[in-house]
Amino acid sequence: MSGGLLILTILLLGGVIAAIGDRLGFKVGKAKLSIFGLRPRDTAVVATIFTGFMISAVTMGLILLVSEQVRVGLFELDGLLADLNRAKTEKNLVQSELALAQQEQQLAQQKRQAAEAKLTGINQKLQRAQQQQQAATLQLKTLQTKILTLQKRSTDLAAQSIQAQSQLSQAQAQVKILRTEENKLLARQRGLQTQNAQLQKSLVASQAELQRLLETGTLLIRRGDFIIQAQDILETGIISSGLNATRQREALFELLSRAGQTALKKGANSEETLLINPDAVTKTLQALATSPQEMIVQVFAAQNVLNREAVPVAIRVLSNTILFQDKEILANAQITLPLEHADLEDAFKDLFQRASKRARNAGILLTERGDVGFFPEDALKEMMTDLQRYRGPVEIRAITEETVYTAGPLALSLVALQNNKVIARAP
């Protein structure tokens, strides 16, 4: 039964019992009844008290009948409180034991961790010990091998000692022979010393003759009798790498023939014009055979040559590589027009010199005149005349007309620009 319904029931029963008691007391008083020899008034009071007792008894009985919690609270409360206190005490005891167990568990974990760490250290020491054992085993094997080698070497040394004893005996015999040879050499040395004295006399005479020849050569140089100076180029040619060995040899000898003709024109010996070292020819042919590109071959005089003498020549082999691309700017200059004719000539002269210097630094070969190329004078004069018609700043550029190789020559064209527009060109 719910609490609200229980309260309502108690109120109704209390009201009904009160009404019954009141009615009973009224009737007892009216009837003037007497109980236990009491006066009627006192009997009415007793009836009223009994009614109140019944109300309390019915109320208590109904509550006890309906609510088990009330029954427990009235009759079993002390026991429950005692049980509760015992439970609290047991709970505290269990909590204390639990805390102690947790501490013991933590201590056990710490001990386990320490044991694991110790076990890890022991394992590491065991591994190091195993490694050391393996190293020791390897060293033992190495030492055993060395011992066997030393034993074998000892045996060999014993055999060599016996052989050395034999060789020592032979050496002693040879020493005797060498002493005999030494005596012979001493005698020969004395003879050589005599010859050396004679050679010294001859050397003095040769030095005097050399000095005379040097004086004669100096006079010839002063007289200008050399027809060819050392390092003078007699002929230059280009031999392609695409030729076979026979054609390269023919091309080289044709180049040497042209060099001989040049030497003859200058006054060399007509019967034996060139003196060529065969090794130089062989090395040149080898260089031509191994080169992947065409090569420049120069034949030049190895020394100064007098009139009617043969010309000793040397051969130089160079790679004919690309030095400058077509339409490449080699030099430029800024001028402000108008200029005097001489100043304009100086500007162009400086431009040609800088272009020539750049070509020389790049490795271009010089022409027979000793320069790197030439420029038509008529075209230059015509361009200078055209420039006199303009005013203001002008840029002059020296540009290659075609791809320039090491063999040269350097062919240039001149371009004048004003405000990035070509105003004159030569040729």
Side-chain angles (χ1 to χ4, degrees):
M1 182 180 293
S2 64
L5 182 59
L6 178 61
I7 293 172
L8 181 60
T9 304
I10 291 172
L11 292 175
L12 289 175
L13 289 173
V16 171
I17 294 171
I20 294 171
D22 181 68
R23 189 68 180 169
L24 180 61
F26 175 76
K27 287 184 177 182
V28 169
K30 187 177 179 181
K32 298 181 179 182
L33 296 177
S34 177
I35 300 174
F36 304 118
L38 296 175
R39 291 183 301 172
R41 185 177 177 180
D42 295 331
T43 301
V45 172
V46 171
T48 303
I49 293 171
F50 178 76
T51 303
F53 172 76
M54 289 299 295
I55 292 172
S56 298
V58 171
T59 301
M60 184 62 68
L62 183 61
I63 291 173
L64 292 175
L65 179 65
V66 173
S67 177
E68 183 180 1
Q69 296 178 351
V70 174
R71 291 197 303 272
V72 172
L74 288 175
F75 303 110
E76 300 179 4
L77 181 60
D78 293 335
L80 291 174
L81 290 174
D83 293 339
L84 179 60
N85 291 329
R86 285 196 301 273
K88 288 182 178 179
T89 303
E90 292 177 355
K91 176 183 176 183
N92 294 331
L93 181 60
V94 170
Q95 288 179 348
S96 299
E97 292 178 352
L98 179 60
L100 182 60
Q102 289 177 348
Q103 292 178 357
E104 291 178 352
Q105 183 181 6
Q106 292 178 355
L107 182 61
Q109 289 180 351
Q110 293 176 357
K111 289 182 178 179
R112 186 183 66 182
Q113 292 176 355
E116 290 178 351
K118 187 174 182 181
L119 179 61
T120 302
I122 292 173
N123 288 332
Q124 292 177 354
K125 290 181 179 179
L126 179 60
Q127 291 178 357
R128 287 196 295 269
Q130 290 176 349
Q131 293 176 356
Q132 292 175 358
Q133 182 182 4
Q134 293 176 356
T137 302
L138 182 61
Q139 290 179 356
L140 178 61
K141 292 181 179 179
T142 304
L143 289 174
Q144 289 175 348
T145 304
K146 288 183 178 179
I147 290 172
L148 293 175
T149 303
L150 290 174
Q151 289 177 350
K152 182 178 180 181
R153 185 177 296 177
S154 176
T155 304
D156 295 340
L157 288 175
Q160 291 177 2
S161 176
I162 297 172
Q163 185 178 1
Q165 291 291 336
S166 175
Q167 291 177 352
L168 177 61
S169 300
Q170 295 177 359
Q172 290 175 349
Q174 290 179 356
V175 166
K176 294 180 180 179
I177 297 173
L178 290 175
R179 284 178 180 175
T180 304
E181 294 290 334
E182 181 182 6
N183 295 329
K184 293 180 180 179
L185 289 175
L186 288 173
R188 186 176 180 183
Q189 182 181 7
R190 288 191 292 269
L192 290 174
Q193 288 175 350
T194 304
Q195 292 181 1
N196 186 31
Q198 295 176 354
L199 289 175
Q200 288 290 340
K201 294 179 181 179
S202 300
L203 178 61
V204 172
S206 298
Q207 288 177 345
E209 180 65 18
L210 178 61
Q211 182 65 29
R212 185 183 65 79
L213 292 174
L214 289 174
E215 291 175 355
T216 303
T218 303
L219 291 174
L220 290 174
I221 292 173
R222 291 176 179 175
R223 293 172 185 171
D225 288 341
F226 288 137
I227 59 172
I228 297 174
Q229 301 287 337
Q231 301 298 320
D232 281 353
I233 297 174
L234 300 179
E235 191 65 37
T236 300
I238 298 175
I239 299 178
S240 174
S241 60
L243 301 176
N244 56 33
T246 303
R247 292 289 299 131
Q248 287 179 347
R249 184 180 183 85
E250 292 175 354
L252 177 60
F253 278 97
E254 182 180 353
L255 184 66
L256 292 172
S257 177
R258 294 201 302 270
Q261 295 296 325
T262 303
L264 281 175
K265 290 179 182 178
K266 293 186 176 185
N269 192 330
S270 59
E271 295 181 359
E272 188 179 13
T273 307
L274 301 181
L275 298 177
I276 306 172
N277 189 342
D279 291 339
V281 175
T282 302
K283 291 180 179 179
T284 302
L285 291 174
Q286 289 176 351
L288 294 174
T290 57
S291 174
Q293 57 188 3
E294 65 180 12
M295 304 294 287
I296 302 170
V297 181
Q298 286 186 327
V299 182
F300 60 94
Q303 64 184 39
N304 297 333
V305 180
L306 296 171
N307 189 29
R308 302 303 175 186
E309 282 187 344
V311 182
V313 296
I315 304 173
R316 182 186 296 120
V317 181
L318 303 171
S319 298
N320 192 26
T321 58
I322 295 176
L323 301 181
F324 305 105
Q325 299 292 336
D326 184 21
K327 307 303 180 187
E328 183 173 347
I329 300 174
L330 293 191
N332 64 338
Q334 300 288 340
I335 60 174
T336 301
L337 298 176
L339 281 177
E340 295 292 335
H341 185 77
D343 294 336
L344 190 58
E345 280 186 345
D346 290 341
F348 277 106
K349 182 178 180 181
D350 178 69
L351 184 69
F352 282 128
Q353 287 178 349
R354 287 191 285 115
S356 176
K357 182 179 179 181
R358 184 176 175 186
R360 289 172 184 268
N361 292 338
I364 194 170
L365 297 182
L366 302 181
T367 63
E368 294 180 356
R369 298 189 303 272
D371 52 23
V372 297
F374 66 94
F375 193 85
E377 294 185 3
D378 295 341
L380 180 60
K381 291 179 179 179
E382 183 179 353
M383 182 176 180
M384 293 173 62
T385 302
D386 293 340
L387 289 176
Q388 295 297 344
R389 296 186 289 108
Y390 293 90
R391 300 291 183 271
V394 173
E395 180 187 4
I396 305 173
R397 295 177 180 176
I399 303 174
T400 59
E401 288 190 350
E402 58 187 12
T403 303
V404 180
Y405 292 84
T406 306
L410 178 64
L412 296 176
S413 62
L414 300 179
V415 178
L417 298 96
Q418 189 175 57
N419 298 326
N420 293 325
K421 181 180 178 181
V422 178
I423 59 176
R425 182 189 296 271

